[in-house]
Amino acid sequence: MWSIVLMAVGGLFIGGALSLRQQKAHISWIITAAALAIVSLGAAWALTYSN
């Protein structure tokens, strides 16, 4: 259950990073959104395979 929620949050962060890139936002915002997406997807992966 929680892994699905974390995957959805990761997808939103990836979409946000791509959107920020199109809007030519500061690189630190893009990196932050991408890093949060990676952490969220990593947590979902860890929850999936921990059981």
Side-chain angles (χ1 to χ4, degrees), residues 2-3 41 44 47 50:
W2 286 109
S3 60
L41 292 174
L47 277 175
S50 67

Side-chain angles (χ1 to χ4, degrees), residues 2-36:
W2 286 109
S3 60
I4 294 170
V5 172
L6 285 169
M7 285 182 200
V9 169
L12 288 173
F13 277 126
I14 289 172
L18 293 175
S19 176
L20 287 170
R21 187 170 155 228
Q22 279 187 334
Q23 296 174 25
K24 301 198 185 322
H26 196 268
I27 190 71
S28 63
W29 288 108
I30 299 169
I31 291 172
T32 301
L36 288 172

